[in-house]
Amino acid sequence: MGFFTNDEAELARTFLTQGHVLAPAADRVQLDRIRQFVVERTAAALGEAPGGDHGEDPGAYLDGIHTRLDRSRLNELRLGLIEGLRATDWFREAYFACGRPLLEALVGNELVMQRGLGLSIQLPGDESSLLPLHSDVWSEDSPFEVVLWIPLVDCFRTKSMFILPPEADARWRDRMHAFAGGSAEAFTEAVADDLHYLEAPYGTVLCFTHTLMHGNRVNREPTTRWSLNVRFKGLFTPYSDKQLGDFFDPITLRPATRIGMGYRMPGGFGGE
Ligand SMILES: O=C(O)CCC(=O)C(=O)O
Ligand SMILES: [Fe+2]
């Protein structure tokens, strides 16, 4: 019968073969709450009156933000929204609630969560806020982390991110040395046919391993992309540069672990 439930085994198979899993948000109320917060803060930043038309269709409002927003103010808006979400006392719990079953099946039930968050806003045709092909493990992240990526609008084709599936990632990693000294763009061109754009409608959440090469390109759709990303890992898995207490906080420490960590051998035992 195995140690995993059928659902867990199925999720594990999908994650290992595709490098990502898409699922409906486990807590739609909390997802809507996050999106509503982003809409209201954005409207306020753009000087729109409370209760204006942004309240009617939050998805359409975000999709069409490029019609109201001056490009030069994009980064200021983005950073203000990140700060606003971080300042709430509910955002991290709400975010976790949206992906909890996936994270528990794919990572574990004793988790640490990134203290901050990433927010991508990609206006149609905007070349200024792109993330070229990369693996986060090449910089400061641990291969034991996963990314929980949550779209606030329907994301597809170039309005979404791309990833190299595990088989293609392994094949291209073996050939990367042939591109050493060349331009990153030449490598990206070479792998172009293997890039898989993730289709993630609003209401779904996406979990992927950032060991795989991924990134984004200019959004060629007529609507704006909005997505959030936060990293999770098992509390006791190896850390890279991003450390516990600094980049990550424990969120689901279990009682047996608390007891174990607090335990001291009585005198006379343990080599004293
Ligand atoms: O959202 C994207 O387009 C890329 C996100 C990314 O690189 C990451 O979360 O590690
Ligand atoms: Fe990344």
Side-chain angles (χ1 to χ4, degrees):
M1 61 186 265
F3 288 102
F4 291 112
T5 64
N6 289 342
D7 286 353
E8 285 169 338
E10 180 60 31
L11 280 171
R13 258 194 306 276
T14 307
F15 195 65
L16 290 170
T17 53
Q18 301 183 351
H20 73 273
V21 175
L22 186 76
D27 192 331
R28 179 62 187 245
V29 171
Q30 296 306 321
L31 175 62
D32 288 343
R33 182 184 190 190
I34 293 169
R35 184 172 69 165
Q36 195 57 34
F37 181 92
V38 169
V39 165
E40 282 167 17
R41 285 296 175 102
T42 301
L46 299 187
E48 291 164 22
D53 64 353
H54 56 268
E56 285 159 26
D57 185 341
Y61 179 77
L62 295 180
D63 260 340
I65 206 66
H66 53 282
T67 61
R68 304 166 185 245
L69 172 70
D70 186 318
R71 253 167 221 227
S72 63
R73 292 194 56 204
L74 176 61
N75 206 42
E76 175 196 330
L77 170 69
R78 202 177 63 79
L79 296 176
L81 289 169
I82 291 175
E83 204 174 302
L85 287 165
R86 285 191 74 157
T88 67
D89 60 2
W90 54 267
F91 169 72
R92 297 177 79 236
E93 289 160 30
Y95 200 89
F96 178 58
C98 293
R100 180 176 188 141
L102 269 192
L103 293 166
E104 293 198 337
L106 300 172
V107 186
N109 70 359
E110 210 159 34
L111 297 166
V112 297
M113 178 178 186
Q114 180 181 345
R115 296 169 77 166
L117 64 132
L119 167 65
S120 296
I121 308 173
Q122 291 191 293
L123 312 178
D126 184 12
E127 300 189 2
S128 67
S129 41
L130 301 181
L131 269 175
L133 188 73
H134 67 283
S135 160
D136 294 67
V137 175
W138 299 342
S139 40
E140 297 179 318
D141 289 271
S142 154
F144 294 85
E145 294 165 30
V146 299
V147 180
L148 183 66
W149 191 97
I150 303 191
L152 298 181
V153 292
D154 295 341
C155 291
F156 52 92
R157 295 197 289 265
T158 55
K159 188 183 172 186
S160 187
M161 57 171 282
F162 61 70
I163 194 163
L164 271 178
E167 173 275 321
D169 183 80
R171 188 158 34 81
W172 282 107
R173 239 186 305 162
D174 283 346
R175 290 159 69 178
M176 263 179 102
H177 61 273
F179 291 82
S183 74
E185 195 45 41
F187 184 71
T188 307
E189 284 302 311
V191 305
D193 285 349
D194 284 320
L195 300 181
H196 178 76
Y197 281 91
L198 300 174
E199 190 151 317
Y202 179 68
T204 63
V205 303
L206 178 79
C207 184
F208 72 92
T209 164
H210 60 191
T211 58
L212 300 174
M213 291 182 247
H214 60 279
N216 55 54
R217 286 223 173 126
V218 175
N219 174 8
R220 297 289 176 206
E221 297 302 318
T223 47
T224 296
R225 185 250 274 228
W226 294 73
S227 61
L228 297 164
N229 62 76
V230 175
R231 281 146 180 76
F232 292 84
K233 68 191 280 295
L235 171 63
F236 294 110
T237 56
Y239 290 79
S240 187
D241 285 358
K242 295 183 171 168
Q243 293 294 320
L244 187 62
D246 171 21
F247 187 84
F248 289 110
D249 263 346
I251 55 167
T252 50
L253 203 62
R254 306 287 158 161
T257 300
R258 286 178 189 270
I259 292 170
M261 286 170 62
Y263 188 74
R264 297 287 171 267
M265 280 286 184
F269 290 87
E272 279 172 37

